């Protein structure tokens, strides 16, 4: 039976997203966003970043449909793909967290 892949790459990516989100909102903390809000804060920042990508993609799609000459099809497709990949990543992180929670709950003392 093979062991499940490590969550470390996902956590590193979430930390990067949280750092980007903190930098984008102007939040300053010398010890970083992880020390400020812990895991819950980092998770919230990651979810907000995914939501921002999806909202930006939706807005560009509506502008493109309305005939905005500044929005190209290439830009729109790239933004849609970024939003899709971010959502799928978030979904996989959630699935791993649920699995880890179930494993911990099923441990015998």
């Amino acid at each position: 039976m093979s062991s499940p892949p490590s969550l470390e790459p996902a956590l590193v990516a979430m930390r990067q997203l949280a750092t980007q989100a903190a930098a984008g909102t102007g939040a300053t903390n010398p010890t970083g966003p992880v020390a400020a809000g812990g895991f819950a804060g980092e998770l919230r920042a990651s979810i907000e970043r995914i939501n921002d990508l999806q909202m930006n993609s939706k807005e560009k799609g509506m502008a493109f449909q309305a005939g905005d000459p500044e929005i190209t099809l290439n830009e729109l497709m790239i933004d849609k793909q970024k939003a899709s990949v971010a959502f799928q990543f978030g979904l996989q992180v959630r699935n791993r967290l649920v699995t880890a929670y179930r494993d911990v709950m099923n441990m015998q003392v």
Side-chain angles (χ1 to χ4, degrees):
M1 182 170 195
S2 65
S3 65
S6 173
L7 286 176
E8 190 61 32
L11 292 174
V12 168
M14 287 177 63
R15 285 186 190 106
Q16 290 173 343
L17 286 174
T19 302
Q20 291 172 358
T25 59
T28 57
N29 183 355
T31 59
V34 175
F39 181 77
E42 191 170 340
L43 186 60
R44 179 177 291 117
S46 296
I47 292 170
E48 288 173 1
R49 175 75 174 135
I50 292 169
N51 185 52
D52 289 345
L53 286 170
Q54 288 181 330
M55 295 303 290
N56 184 34
S57 171
K58 183 178 179 179
E59 289 171 6
K60 279 192 177 180
M62 292 175 74
F64 182 79
Q65 288 176 355
D68 187 346
E70 294 183 18
I71 306 293
T72 65
L73 182 59
N74 294 343
E75 263 183 64
L76 176 62
M77 296 306 294
I78 289 170
D79 284 349
K80 291 279 185 192
Q81 194 64 31
K82 282 181 185 178
S84 175
V85 169
F87 180 77
Q88 290 300 319
F89 177 76
L91 187 62
Q92 291 302 318
V93 170
R94 186 220 45 184
N95 291 343
R96 295 284 177 101
L97 289 172
V98 169
T99 301
Y101 174 79
R102 286 182 182 155
D103 289 347
V104 168
M105 294 305 294
N106 288 332
M107 285 183 180
Q108 294 183 4
V109 184

